Amino acid sequence: MTRPRVFIHTHMSLDGKIVGAYLPTEVGVASQRQYYELVLGPDRAFDRHKGWLCGRVSSDDNFTHYRTPDLDEAASPVPDGDFITVADAPMYYFSVDPSGVLAWETNSITYFETTAHVVEILSGRASNAYKDFLRRKGVSYIVAGGNQLDLEEAVRKIGEIFGVQEIMLGGGGSLNWSFIRAGLCDEVSIVMTPAADGTKGAQTLFEANERYATPLPTAFKLKGMKPLADGSIWLRYDVIGPIPKAGG
Ligand SMILES: NC(=O)c1ccc[n+]([C@@H]2O[C@H](COP(=O)([O-])OP(=O)(O)OC[C@H]3O[C@@H](n4cnc5c(N)ncnc54)[C@H](OP(=O)(O)O)[C@@H]3O)[C@@H](O)[C@H]2O)c1
């Protein structure tokens, strides 16, 4: 099976920030609602996916809040391979957590009106104790790669296990950029909020995390733009790839 199509879907401020004080304002919340409707609402524009993928920091910020998982270091060895507890959930939340550190309390998350079953995406270095912890919580997991997480294998496995042809990548900036650099992202969909807060150094749509990816000029091709009801703009780009130097 070829890998599923991957699209980044993000909401950001006028100045390209994906976090900040503009978010919990009236304008920010109205724009996030538009963002949600496009991918998870009843009349969604993207309707071939079964959930979204996020990086470890996004999961900690939004759901697990930097708690420490309750590990049993003396747990019996768990069977090798993947562990899927819910094979037919309407939506999944794929959490990229190579070392296995996120302290889930339950095996689902809720985002607006959507409930999604949590699937941890682990590398081969996640410990037996952590996998035992996930099993006790009923959280599914997929192992991709050895000591380093293999993003391509993770995407392919999600497609095979859950029968999906499309995956939404929900951020943050580090994971977004790693997917672009790895050639694993086909489209970027942006809901641009008509607000900004001017915070210096706040995280942007793409961030090259030095542990995982390098910066590189990259081209995108506009494929659509549409004003939304609240004054946000929905922008869609195809990913083209690295740009050669002018005159080179
Ligand atoms: N506006 C939006 O649409 C939106 C959407 C999502 C998130 N956010 C915000 O973005 C912020 C988090 O973004 P972030 O960039 O700091 O973190 P992130 O992309 O959510 O997570 C990065 C982490 O994912 C893990 N990872 C595994 N393989 C990776 C790879 N190949 N490349 C990159 N990361 C990999 C690493 O975890 P380890 O450190 O454990 O190795 C890495 O530190 C949060 O504040 C969140 O709220 C905004």
Side-chain angles (χ1 to χ4, degrees):
M1 181 182 175
T2 53
R3 73 160 172 85
R5 187 174 180 280
V6 176
F7 68 98
I8 289 171
H9 185 59
T10 199
H11 54 84
M12 70 179 200
S13 62
L14 210 57
D15 52 352
K17 311 287 169 52
I18 62 167
V19 291
Y22 76 95
L23 282 171
T25 62
E26 278 181 14
V27 174
V29 171
S31 184
Q32 286 168 68
R33 183 79 215 184
Q34 298 290 322
Y35 163 89
Y36 169 84
E37 293 294 338
L38 286 170
V39 281
L40 294 167
D43 301 317
R44 49 185 174 263
F46 293 98
D47 59 2
R48 294 165 64 215
H49 67 89
K50 277 184 82 181
W52 67 109
L53 189 79
C54 280
R56 196 268 307 159
V57 177
S58 298
S59 294
D60 253 338
D61 277 3
N62 296 315
F63 303 117
T64 50
H65 307 298
Y66 299 88
R67 292 184 298 260
T68 304
D70 171 25
L71 302 186
D72 175 4
E73 296 296 346
S76 302
V78 303
D80 284 343
D82 308 325
F83 174 72
I84 307 298
T85 60
V86 183
D88 56 353
M91 281 294 163
Y92 291 92
Y93 177 79
F94 302 104
S95 164
V96 173
D97 178 18
S99 313
V101 296
L102 293 171
W104 296 101
E105 285 184 333
T106 62
N107 68 0
S108 65
I109 57 109
T110 300
Y111 176 55
F112 287 103
E113 290 83 38
T114 298
T115 298
H117 175 67
V118 177
V119 181
E120 277 267 297
I121 310 294
L122 304 172
S123 74
R125 71 174 184 275
S127 69
N128 183 73
Y130 186 69
K131 290 182 203 165
D132 168 75
F133 164 77
L134 294 179
R135 284 171 174 258
R136 283 187 278 120
K137 294 289 178 189
V139 172
S140 299
Y141 60 80
I142 290 174
V143 183
N147 207 33
Q148 297 297 322
L149 180 72
D150 183 335
L151 286 183
E152 188 165 2
E153 185 184 354
V155 166
R156 188 180 43 75
K157 274 190 162 188
I158 290 170
E160 285 169 3
I161 294 171
F162 300 102
V164 290
Q165 296 168 345
E166 194 163 64
I167 299 172
M168 168 184 162
L169 173 53
S174 302
L175 199 62
N176 287 347
W177 188 245
S178 287
F179 267 74
I180 296 283
R181 292 290 283 114
L184 288 172
C185 180
D186 305 287
E187 178 180 343
V188 179
S189 160
I190 298 167
V191 173
M192 190 186 283
T193 306
D197 56 45
T199 305
K200 245 174 113 176
Q203 208 192 43
T204 66
L205 167 61
F206 294 129
E207 300 274 337
N209 176 329
E210 59 285 352
R211 284 192 292 137
Y212 294 105
T214 52
L216 188 77
T218 301
F220 301 85
K221 185 174 181 216
L222 186 67
K223 72 186 282 193
M225 50 185 171
K226 184 178 170 188
L228 301 175
D230 70 316
S232 295
I233 297 178
W234 180 28
L235 296 162
R236 297 179 71 178
Y237 293 88
D238 284 326
V239 181
I240 302 301
I243 316 174
K245 271 195 174 165

